[in-house]
Amino acid sequence: MSAVDKATYIVDSEGHRTAVVLPIEAFEAIISELEDLRDAQYVDKVEASAEGFVSLDDLRQVLRKAS
């Protein structure tokens, strides 16, 4: 069961959803996922701007040749 399945929606007089109430576990799971995504975006940004680094595959090839 996903967090959306556990949601309770608050609606206005016209039936439009205006707010949502989630169990704390669902809310914490959503926050954790957002933090993981933010971290992944940061890593992507750092990797894209990195200079002077050797890729892991290149390092492995160098180490194989050296042994």
Side-chain angles (χ1 to χ4, degrees):
M1 183 177 281
S2 72
V4 175
D5 296 332
K6 299 174 186 177
T8 301
Y9 295 98
I10 309 298
V11 296
D12 62 17
S13 59
E14 297 175 359
H16 298 118
R17 293 177 179 174
T18 60
V20 65
V21 178
L22 294 172
I24 192 68
E25 296 84 11
F27 173 77
E28 289 172 345
I30 291 168
I31 295 300
S32 178
E33 184 71 21
L34 289 172
E35 289 171 346
D36 291 347
L37 289 170
R38 183 183 58 206
D39 292 345
Q41 288 176 330
Y42 178 74
V43 168
D44 289 344
K45 180 180 176 182
V46 169
E47 285 178 344
S49 65
E51 294 181 15
F53 291 93
V54 176
S55 72
L56 181 58
D57 289 335
D58 290 345
L59 176 60
R60 286 179 177 151
Q61 288 179 5
V62 169
L63 293 173
R64 281 189 200 115
K65 290 178 185 177
S67 56

